[in-house]
Structure formats: structure tokens, C-alpha cells
Amino acid sequence: MINIAVVGCGNWASKIINEINKNNKFNLTSIVCRKKKENIPKTIIFDSIDKMINSKINDSIYVAAEPKLNLEIVKLIKNYKIPIILEKPISDSYENIKELKNIIEKYNLIALPNLTNYFSESFMELKKFTHEKYKKINEIIIYEGNFGPFRKNIHPIWDWGFHSISLLFLLFEVEKVTNIDMKIIKSNNFYGKGIVSKFSFKINKKIKVKIITGNLFKKKLRKMKIKFNDNTFILNDMVKHKLYFNNKFIFANNITPVSSLLNNFEKIIQSNRNELSRELIDISCKTTKFLEKFFRC
């Protein structure tokens, strides 16, 4: 088994820890937790990343903390060449993610971004379907958000848009983005920065895209509807990881995307081949650059 450390102890980090504990290829050895102390048997709790790295008890690291930590940790592990998973958004700016990418390439690091949609089993089905009917695609509509999180310094598109925009880059060879526009649909300053916005643009001068995203939704929602010019459509429910064609169910995942991510991570470590790592880092760079067209994080 591969010893792994988790950086972070928030709600998402707790879910990652549960997934690791269910996976028979990884052994959770330590957690970096600066604010609160977890009580997990046979697991060492560190209060700093330096201490965790210097302990030399970990073969790999999963970073499930705020985006700015990703670059900091990549700088710390570059000479150790510890394989690492990075949660989205991979960086808080395009400038920083370019630096992160340069370090990964210079030191030949295995750094695998968790682009959830890529590691969903439904992705390959969706990709096959859209490629077969690419010339018939008329419009893509994406709804995504939840009630929160409310952050004063960033727009919710950084919390929610990274998934959908990276999915567009994964599905299509996006050469050009034009006709970019943004409108505020709803706002409520009582909740900090509570806002729902509609972003619209065209990809490759052909396909119209609308993204309705925000943090004032009644419940978690993340759906992509791809409409074709023959009045048919395919719906990708990115929360339940299910596909529907004309409202008829056609596919569902057998395993969670995080489980698939961990399985792919183990294969990369064992083979020491990082082509997938490089590909997804590149997609993350493109996504971050695209997000900055709307808002600086």
C-alpha cells in the first residue's frame, strides 16, 4: 500500500479521508490540520506542512485545502519528488498556476489535479456522445451552485465554474472564445457576497454557451445540458454523475470520481508515467486563464 498524507481538515478533506480509508491501495498515515485536531486512529496530526514532509513517512500527498497552498506545497516537495494530488481550483491566479506548471515540468513531478468530471465514469460516455454529434451541437447550458460558500474576496464562479469550464476544455478542442458577456441575475449582500450570474460566450465561433452560477441556490446543483439542432439533448447531472438523453436515463457511475482518481493516481505512481498529470495541469491552466476573463480571484 502507498502511504498518503492529507493536507486540510475541512468538510471536503473529511470526505477525501473517508474515500482513502475505503481504498485498498492507500494507507492514510498523517493529516496536516492547522485549526482543529482530528481524532483518527493510527494517523499522525501535524500542524505544519514542513513537519509532515520532513517526517518522511509519506509516499504521496493529497492537498484538500485552499488553492493558494497548492503552489506553496509544490515548491516544498519539488526536491523530494513526492507524488501529489491537487484539489480545484488549482490556483488563485493564472500567474501562479503558470509558475506551478513550470516547477512540475522542470522537476518532472507527478502532480494530478482532481478534475472531478474527468474522473467520473460518465465523462467518457458523454465525450463519445458529443463527439459523434459535434456538428449538430447548437447550445450548451450549465446550471451550477449552492447556498454558499460566501466569500468576500472572490466570485462564486471560482467555486463552481472550474468544474464546468474545465469540462468544456476536456470535451472539445476549444481554440477560441468570443462574445463574452456577464449579467447579474440576483444578489443579496446580507450573505456576504451572495450573487447569481449568467455568463455567456461562444466557443470556436460556433457553439453558444450559457453558465448560470452562484451561491444563492436553494440546493446544490450542477447540470450541463447539450442541445442539438435536431431538438434532442443530453443532460449531464454532475452531482449524481448520471446521463440522460431526452430525459431518458442512459448511464450512471459505478464508483465515485474520487475513487477513480485514487486508482489512477496509484497507477501513475507505480508506472512513474505522468502524461495524464501533464494533460490535466494544462487543462487547469486554460481554465484558470479563462476564469480571469471574468474575475480576478
Side-chain angles (χ1 to χ4, degrees), residues 261-273:
L261 165 70
L262 290 169
N263 291 341
N264 276 274
F265 190 45
E266 187 266 345
K267 290 176 183 176
I268 292 170
I269 292 172
Q270 299 295 359
S271 65
N272 198 30
R273 296 178 63 88

Side-chain angles (χ1 to χ4, degrees), residues 151-194:
R151 310 180 197 273
K152 293 181 179 180
N153 59 329
I154 64 170
H155 188 280
I157 195 169
W158 283 88
D159 287 305
W160 300 101
F162 204 94
H163 282 291
S164 58
I165 294 169
S166 63
L167 181 56
L168 291 176
F169 284 115
L170 287 165
L171 284 174
F172 311 110
E173 294 182 10
V174 180
E175 298 173 357
K176 196 168 186 179
V177 178
T178 55
N179 300 71
I180 297 172
D181 186 42
M182 188 277 286
K183 292 181 181 177
I184 295 173
I185 298 175
K186 184 179 180 181
S187 63
N188 190 331
N189 291 329
F190 179 78
Y191 296 106
K193 195 164 187 175

Side-chain angles (χ1 to χ4, degrees), residues 1 18-27 259 262-263:
M1 295 180 75
N18 288 335
E19 290 276 3
I20 289 171
N21 286 333
K22 289 188 291 184
N23 192 289
N24 60 8
K25 296 171 183 176
F26 289 90
N27 173 45
S259 179
L262 290 169
N263 291 341

